[in-house]
Amino acid sequence: MPPNTTASSGQKPGKSGRKKGRRARLILIVLVLAIIGGVAYGAFWSISTVRASFPQTKGSLTLDALSGPVDVKRDGYGIPQIYASTDEDLFMAQGYVQAQDRFYEMDVRRHMTAGKLSEMFGESQVDEDEFLRTLGWERVAEKEYKTKLSAETKKYLQAYSKGVNAYLKGKDGADISLEYAALGFSNDYKPKAWTPVDSVAWLKAMAWDLRGNMQDEIDRSLMTSRLGPKQIADLYPDYPYDRNKPIVQEGQYNSVTEEYEQGGGTGTGTGTAAGSAAGTGLANGTTAPAGLQSQLSGLYKVLDDVPEAVGVNGNGIGSNSWVVGGEHTISGKPLLANDPHLSPSLPSVWYQMGLHCKSVSEKCRYDVSGYTFAGMPGVVIGHNENISWGMTNSGADVTDLYLEKLTGDGYEYDDKVLPFTTRKEKIDVAGGESKSIVVRETNNGPLLSDRYDELVKVGKKAGVDSAAPDRGDGYAIALRWTALDPGTSMDAVFAMNRAANWTDFRKAAALFDVPSQNLVYADIEDNIGYQLPGRIPIRGEGDGSLPSPGWDSKYRWTSYIDQDELPYEYNPKRGYIVTANQAVVDKDKYPYTLTTDWGYGTRSQRIADLIESKIKNGGKVSTDDMRQMQLDNSSEIAKLLVPKLLKIDVDDKYVREAQKLLEGWNYTQDADSAAAAYFNATWRNILKLAFGNKLPKELRVKGQCLYVEPTDSTGPVDNEDDKVRECGQRDADSAQPDGGDRWFEVVRKILDDEDNDWWSAPKTRTDQTVVDTRDELFARALKDARWELTAKLGKDIDTWSWGRLHRLYLKNQTMGIEGPGFLQYMLNRGPYNMGGGEAAVNATGWNAAGGYSVVWVPSMRMVVNLDDFDKSKWINLTGASGHAYSAHYIDQTGKWVKGELLPWVSSDRAVDKATSDTLVLQP
């Protein structure tokens, strides 16, 4: 039976969910309030200061090193289309234009990836820098640039850097952005020249945010302090292959024998973590050593403080991407849709642009348009004149945590003591003294545990079993991660931009080693396809679901899955392909373990059902149909639960009044829906009562306190006075249960077992009834939700709406978080009342443990029409500009909130017609 818990009388509401690192983030300028006053304040923050950094978008400018003139044509939303006569000129202009709009964002990103935030923002960032230096993204990027990337790619990166530096030439901070003007009050930081490595390192940050199942790996181990193996298995159910179809259903795996395609074969198993090693502390199935709980809890705190580059890494987050072949479309050619789900940021992580050679030839080979990242040349997602492609995170498990036995100045490996690989790192601190650290690595990777004082203390105190050396240094935690090896992903970007057909595209995908992404494809010849790329490890022992014993060579990675053996699909008979972070392939039809922690397929199956409903009886799909599918906000968990919630006999007339909202509700989560508000509040309380209050403190929300049985108790504690008070330790946007579709599946599995132990809940100060059955728990959740919404939205249910609970705040990711109030006012925007929800296709995600605020969003939306690219549509979360008072700072946000898309033109004629401003860059 799940551990008995009682709500603390000192229970506090969950905090806002801002990360500790964010609270401290990037702010010395709080001193500005003490410095600025009166006339000086008004004079400095004048209109001229705010506008000083706005880019020139008309007329002409001279750029050294250009070989010929380059035209930069911007439409009414400031989106640039660049026209050049050579590849180098094209990418040099791209660097210049992106720096015009987004250099401050680019500068912060490169300091993050290099572990040099302290150089910009002072002592508050030292801890984060120490961890990032330990990971060594910049060092890996340098090796990648020197040893892995093609000469052609280096040439493009160099040209891009020249463009960025041409923009910086002769400018001081206030000429570049409002944020630099503010920074000038607290330190004398000056932007440095851009380098090719700065661009390459950004891919490491993207890979970190999309790294796979590390959070689940940690969480499963942390659960062992309060839950047994069966209980943990309940919380990580098997993927429902019979109900939610995998991506590849008719595909192939080159070089894999026929028996694999028919469900036979050998190799590492693909069972879920729950089935393989749940409830144990190590991958070998043994009990975790003493101290591992605290070590992993400390590690999570370190990970949680690392700045997010492009998204939250956790359950529920993902992306949608699908393609429909011409047989099922109005035009007779494919339609391709994509909307990556990432953390909301201001400006948006994406930058829209077109890169066009005036005449495509050997010296100028690009005609591509789409979304990229400011700071990186090329286009990441989009289309060229022949093909289109989209991406979603595959979730492939490319990280493993290794517990290491330390002894003296080394670590144990196969009964030998090996010396650490070490390096010194110097961290420069704005306004303070520099700090030096030593990074230690084992043959499994860097020791993350060195970066958290508490981990070091616990490691020294950790008990050791008979197989461990009798030393006081204890255990450490090392990280093995594919992105810490140099790769070729930057080569892949340019190869994809040039690909003319499926064969070219697959060759380009083979270069895309990290992060592993689901790639969907369509071309003008009416072909559609899917390819899984990435460097995905093959493990000797273990499945990557739990930390492995680093001292045993059997748990090492033996090799990587060959690119020819990665799943793909081409022109399937069903005529469409859907990827939304579900399982890539049926576990019985593939010999290798890709991950044990797929998304559970709620969104992907809903998209497939929407397509099927449209094409049945010969129906055809339009561009607007694809857009409408992106906006589908149907709640799949509501369809499952509401019929049972309506059967609950409720005595309280106010609770009954709220319960009636669910009668006749069509399960759509529109912003103005009172029923959606009440259902989601009920769902949140079901999760809290059934699961959340039974999880260890390391997974619960900070400030939420419970009285629980001591972890060392031998049986149930009947005397409430003997229970101990435990408060949650995790930030609100990453706590559990988060309410994602894993939890849909958890509840589905036990829903008809009305007496399942998970449905039990103890009495509280406000409710003296003990809950023992499902319906009793549902009744309490209905009541708790009623009074929660009464407090948040008012007693009158006619005033309730989902959007009043489910709000999006767009915050500048540096000074908009904890800067002085006037700066936050200048830089931030919102709130916006949102529809959509968790695991809906319109995935405006929220964390059920922490509250209702939006924590991830469709960061952009696009629909590509392969019959006529000028009939394609797109939208960004914010706008092209990173300048707070530019007309293009958030000029797309209002339409994004409404689900509207903008025309996406790419032909010369259509671009000219849409152009508002033209800037000519002269050599």
Side-chain angles (χ1 to χ4, degrees), residues 121-152:
F121 305 107
E123 190 174 0
S124 66
Q125 300 307 298
V126 169
D127 288 347
E128 291 181 4
D129 282 350
E130 288 184 6
F131 186 77
L132 292 165
R133 294 287 185 94
T134 300
L135 290 175
W137 292 345
E138 186 181 47
R139 294 179 69 253
V140 178
E142 287 175 352
K143 290 181 182 177
E144 199 160 291
Y145 180 75
K146 292 178 180 177
T147 66
K148 288 289 186 178
L149 299 182
S150 69
E152 181 179 71

Side-chain angles (χ1 to χ4, degrees), residues 327-503:
E327 175 189 357
H328 300 308
T329 69
I330 289 175
S331 70
K333 292 292 178 68
L335 294 170
L336 186 149
N338 198 184
D339 54 283
H341 306 157
L342 304 170
S343 295
S345 61
L346 183 62
S348 167
V349 68
W350 296 109
Y351 186 92
Q352 298 153 287
M353 71 188 320
L355 301 171
H356 310 280
C357 290
K358 293 179 180 179
S359 177
V360 176
S361 64
E362 277 303 308
K363 71 174 183 177
C364 197
R365 297 187 289 165
Y366 294 87
D367 186 7
V368 61
S369 180
Y371 296 85
T372 189
F373 302 118
M376 203 178 89
V379 166
V380 176
I381 295 173
H383 72 81
N384 59 30
E385 67 272 33
N386 295 303
I387 75 165
S388 179
W389 68 96
M391 297 184 188
T392 63
N393 191 22
S394 74
D397 185 0
V398 296
T399 61
D400 277 343
L401 296 174
Y402 284 90
L403 196 64
E404 305 282 8
K405 295 177 181 178
L406 307 187
T407 176
D409 293 326
Y411 61 97
E412 186 172 323
Y413 182 72
D414 280 353
D415 299 321
K416 297 178 181 178
V417 176
L418 303 180
F420 295 111
T421 300
T422 62
R423 68 177 188 273
K424 290 184 179 180
E425 295 277 352
K426 180 184 177 184
I427 299 172
D428 293 326
V429 182
E433 295 183 3
S434 62
K435 180 177 181 180
S436 295
I437 64 170
V438 175
V439 176
R440 299 189 297 176
E441 295 187 5
T442 71
N443 56 8
N444 290 313
L447 291 183
L448 304 187
S449 48
D450 281 357
R451 299 284 75 87
Y452 186 59
D453 290 343
E454 190 62 28
L455 289 182
V456 176
K457 295 176 185 176
V458 171
K460 290 183 177 180
K461 296 178 181 179
V464 294
D465 60 27
S466 58
D470 186 16
R471 299 286 192 273
D473 290 336
Y475 294 85
I477 298 171
L479 171 67
R480 183 80 173 96
W481 178 34
T482 55
L484 296 183
D485 297 322
T488 55
S489 292
M490 199 71 239
D491 285 340
V493 171
F494 297 114
M496 210 168 289
N497 287 189
R498 295 192 306 267
N501 51 47
W502 174 242
T503 300

Side-chain angles (χ1 to χ4, degrees), residues 11 117 341 469 488 589 603 842:
Q11 184 175 1
L117 288 168
H341 306 157
T488 55
K589 296 183 179 179
R603 282 179 289 110
N842 185 17

Side-chain angles (χ1 to χ4, degrees), residues 641 644-645 648-650 654-656 658-659 662 677-691 693 759 761-762 764 767 769 771 773-790 800 852:
L641 293 183
K644 297 188 183 299
L645 291 172
I648 303 297
D649 186 13
V650 176
Y654 292 106
V655 178
R656 175 62 185 148
Q659 185 187 33
L662 304 179
Y678 184 57
F679 171 77
N680 282 319
T682 302
W683 168 237
R684 179 176 184 242
N685 280 279
I686 288 172
L687 290 170
K688 179 180 178 181
L689 292 167
F691 310 104
N693 289 348
W759 298 129
T764 66
D767 193 324
T769 60
V771 170
T773 68
R774 180 199 70 195
D775 287 354
E776 289 172 351
L777 187 139
F778 282 6
R780 184 187 288 186
L782 287 165
K783 181 177 71 173
D784 290 352
R786 178 21 160 154
W787 299 118
E788 180 186 0
L789 294 198
T790 297
W800 289 3
Y852 304 97

Side-chain angles (χ1 to χ4, degrees), residues 91 154 183 208 237 259 415 505 650 668 850 859:
F91 295 117
K154 291 179 183 179
L183 272 179
W208 177 254
E259 63 178 325
D415 299 321
F505 184 77
V650 176
T668 58
S859 55

Side-chain angles (χ1 to χ4, degrees), residues 12 24 68 117 244 433 449 541 581 629 640 837 891 903:
K12 299 177 182 179
L117 288 168
N244 298 339
E433 295 183 3
S449 48
E541 300 258 351
N581 318 107
M629 292 176 193
L640 187 68
D891 58 341

